[in-house]
Amino acid sequence: MKKLFSYLIPALLVSLMCVSTAGAAIPKGPIKIGVVMPTTGPIAYDGRLTLNGIEMAVSEVNKAGGIKGNKIELFIEDSANVPATAVAAMEKLVGMQKVTGVIGDFGSSCTLAMMDVAQRSQTPLITPISLAPKITEMGNKWMFRGCDNSAMIAKAFTKWAVNDKKVKKWAYIAINTDYGRGSVEAFNAELTKLGGKAVFTEYFNQGETDYYPIVTKLKASGADALCLFGETVDLSRVVSQFYEMGLGGKMLVMDPTSGTFNEKFIELAKKNANGIVGASRFVASIPTPAAKRFTADYKALYKINPEKYAQAGYDCMKMLATAIEKADSTDRSKVRDALAAIKYEGPQGKAHFDAKNQLQISEYIVAVNDGNIVVIAGPISGE
């Protein structure tokens, strides 16, 4: 009997080892990646820019042979920037499509709503855009932010605005969402530390067209500068009505999170876009080899310069693909761990995730000058 066990035990151990490692390598076939992004609704244009970057990254990976010979297959769901719709899309992707990971969403409110699904299904979720600081402050290990956040931008931008430009009295016009409210809160915290103060704060609802009442009240605020938080179309209307009310030249116009720093905004706002300043992790004029290469390739594909939405979509897709390759698996848990440990360098520069899964990167101070987006200072750390 002892002799029999001496043969059986090694054989059993080998068998168990085979079982435990089975499926560790990437199985042959398409690697399914989900995307939740607004492709309809008031910020569909901005969502489309992000999708451009995601699809460009997928095309590059697939043309290079895929991930260890396996092509990426995208499953795109429209959130319309509605939290309940975003949740339904996330449920579909993780439950029906069985994706390995999800990129999304655009608006912070949608991303916050999707986080519980990511945690319950143990699926890595990476947002390329959402800025509300609390997204990475809630202890959800499945949630990653592949961009900066409002607090990081606030630290970098207020240093420059208060210390270099001597802007002490700020006015805020912000969208009434988690992103807008969270941004005002983050900027006020940094502004107070530097001896500045907010003298005017107004919120608007997405898709509004009449900002004249807000701008009328702004006139009497005594602000040195107007700080904007919103997206392309909404902010183009705010800026146009700001100038129509005769406030041009009365205060510095700032868009620190750079929702306006794209060619569509410049087209809509025309000459009123000139002089707006902000902070951005990426603009097409960043003079690094990686940024120049990405800009040239993107422009050849889409006939316009990339901005930070396209860059973020591109980098998040590349980071997720790299994590899958390093994990050598489509197992969601292994991919999550590989993503958390990633050291990545792309168009925005060198980046890594901190212990809260917040990407750590620097900011550039940028401005619109004669219809072009130019770097005027930086990089500045937001840590």
Side-chain angles (χ1 to χ4, degrees), residues 76 84 110 114 126 151 161-162 260 269 297 305 326 333:
I76 300 169
C110 289
M114 292 161 59
I126 180 168
V162 175
T260 60
D297 292 346
N305 279 323
K326 286 185 177 298
S333 182

Side-chain angles (χ1 to χ4, degrees), residues 47-106:
R48 181 64 253 178
L49 293 175
T50 312
L51 273 173
N52 284 352
I54 293 170
E55 291 173 345
M56 178 177 166
V58 170
S59 177
E60 287 183 3
V61 172
N62 286 346
K63 282 181 181 177
I67 301 173
K68 298 197 172 182
N70 299 278
K71 298 294 180 71
I72 296 172
E73 183 178 0
L74 281 184
F75 291 82
I76 300 169
E77 294 290 330
D78 176 23
S79 70
N81 201 40
V82 176
T85 306
V87 170
M90 183 74 178
E91 294 276 15
K92 178 180 177 182
L93 289 170
V94 302
M96 294 176 59
Q97 304 296 357
K98 309 294 184 185
V99 297
T100 296
V102 177
I103 301 171
D105 196 349
F106 194 101

Side-chain angles (χ1 to χ4, degrees), residues 91-326:
E91 294 276 15
K92 178 180 177 182
L93 289 170
V94 302
M96 294 176 59
Q97 304 296 357
K98 309 294 184 185
V99 297
T100 296
V102 177
I103 301 171
D105 196 349
F106 194 101
S108 293
S109 297
C110 289
T111 300
L112 284 161
M114 292 161 59
M115 287 172 59
D116 181 59
V117 182
Q119 190 164 38
R120 283 191 284 106
S121 63
Q122 298 189 349
T123 304
L125 170 63
I126 180 168
T127 177
I129 303 297
S130 300
L131 297 182
K134 63 183 177 181
I135 286 171
T136 48
E137 296 292 328
M138 300 171 70
N140 185 337
K141 77 171 193 174
W142 299 93
M143 181 73 236
F144 292 80
R145 193 195 325 258
C147 63
D148 43 17
N149 63 41
S150 297
M152 295 167 67
I153 299 169
K155 287 178 183 178
F157 186 78
T158 54
K159 287 177 193 174
W160 175 83
V162 175
N163 296 334
D164 292 5
K165 299 299 287 184
K166 310 305 179 187
V167 176
K168 294 294 183 72
K169 293 187 289 184
W170 291 39
Y172 296 104
I173 297 179
I175 190 166
N176 191 21
T177 62
D178 286 295
Y179 152 60
R181 294 186 299 272
S183 294
V184 169
E185 183 180 342
F187 272 75
N188 268 338
E190 295 303 319
L191 186 60
T192 301
K193 292 176 188 176
L194 294 169
K197 64 177 180 178
V199 297
F200 178 89
T201 304
E202 286 283 342
Y203 294 96
F204 64 87
N205 293 319
Q206 200 155 61
E208 281 189 24
T209 57
D210 182 6
Y211 299 93
Y212 293 110
I214 294 177
V215 175
T216 298
K217 288 189 284 184
L218 173 65
K219 263 187 169 184
S221 69
D224 299 323
L226 168 62
C227 186
L228 302 169
F229 298 115
E231 307 303 340
T232 298
V233 176
D234 289 333
L235 292 189
S236 72
R237 294 178 181 136
V238 174
V239 169
S240 294
Q241 291 172 33
F242 172 90
Y243 277 92
E244 285 176 33
M245 295 291 286
L247 287 175
K250 301 289 179 65
M251 59 186 77
L252 181 66
V253 181
M254 310 182 297
D255 173 20
T257 60
S258 306
T260 60
F261 286 86
N262 60 64
E263 293 189 6
K264 184 66 174 178
F265 176 82
I266 294 171
E267 174 193 325
L268 293 171
K270 301 181 175 61
K271 65 180 181 180
N272 294 334
N274 283 326
I276 296 178
V277 296
S280 184
R281 60 188 177 269
F282 175 85
V283 292
S285 56
I286 291 174
T288 64
K292 286 180 178 179
R293 184 169 56 253
F294 170 70
T295 296
D297 292 346
Y298 185 93
K299 194 167 186 178
L301 190 59
Y302 296 110
K303 313 308 178 190
I304 59 172
N305 279 323
E307 37 48 68
K308 72 172 189 176
Y309 296 158
Q311 165 269 314
Y314 177 90
D315 276 348
C316 282
M317 185 65 254
K318 281 295 185 80
M319 285 190 282
L320 189 53
T322 301
I324 294 168
E325 183 173 33
K326 286 185 177 298

